[in-house]
Amino acid sequence: MNGQEWAEILVPLIVFSALVALMALILLYKYKKKRLFLQMIERSLQRQAVLPPETIREIGLHFFSANRDLRKGIFLLVLSASVLAFSYFADFKRSGNLDLNDALTGIAFLPGLLGLAFILLARLDRQQNR
């Protein structure tokens, strides 16, 4: 394999690996934040401290609100639309059986469908809370 072939393999691999690593770090941060919140509640209950239900409810709504699902859904839909727009405006030459524009369109469906799912979850959560 020459340098050109290695570059064709390594560049997409590095880009997608960086995206996966970034998503993993974001999810790890959110997990640790929620775990610290639950540990704080547990320590308070062990010390027999008085925690009014309103305080717990307000903090819980900060972590688990339907608005967060709506924001995630809108962000993922915008991300999907931007990948679709890039695929539409970029004119990649066809090499063999691979058409990069079609591949990007396929890749854009994942965040788009996830965004629709988050928006649906936010809507169901709001209907359930009424």
Side-chain angles (χ1 to χ4, degrees):
M1 289 172 82
N2 62 18
Q4 177 80 19
E5 292 172 346
W6 277 105
E8 289 177 358
I9 294 171
L10 289 178
V11 169
L13 182 68
I14 290 170
V15 169
F16 288 116
S17 298
L19 290 174
V20 169
L22 180 65
M23 290 302 294
L25 286 174
I26 290 170
L27 290 173
L28 181 67
Y29 170 73
K30 288 183 178 187
Y31 167 75
K32 289 202 177 241
K33 196 165 77 167
K34 287 179 185 178
R35 195 173 86 194
L36 285 172
F37 166 69
L38 292 174
Q39 285 174 349
M40 181 202 59
I41 297 294
E42 184 180 6
R43 280 193 305 265
S44 299
L45 291 174
Q46 285 175 351
R47 284 188 268 143
Q48 303 290 328
V50 177
L51 280 176
E54 296 82 24
T55 304
I56 295 173
R57 187 175 304 116
E58 287 299 319
I59 294 172
L61 284 176
H62 175 71
F63 285 114
F64 307 107
S65 77
N67 286 337
R68 289 192 174 275
D69 286 343
L70 186 63
R71 288 179 191 153
K72 287 178 194 174
I74 291 172
F75 174 76
L76 288 169
L77 282 177
V78 168
L79 178 68
S80 177
S82 65
V83 171
L84 281 173
F86 175 73
S87 172
Y88 178 76
F89 290 116
D91 189 27
F92 296 106
K93 66 179 182 175
R94 190 177 192 117
S95 61
N97 292 333
L98 178 68
D99 184 11
L100 195 54
N101 287 334
D102 290 342
L104 285 173
T105 302
I107 290 171
F109 276 110
L110 178 65
L113 292 175
L114 287 173
L116 289 175
F118 273 116
I119 290 172
L120 178 66
L121 287 174
R123 185 178 191 125
L124 290 174
D125 190 36
R126 286 188 181 170
Q127 288 177 353
Q128 189 178 31
N129 288 337
R130 287 185 184 171

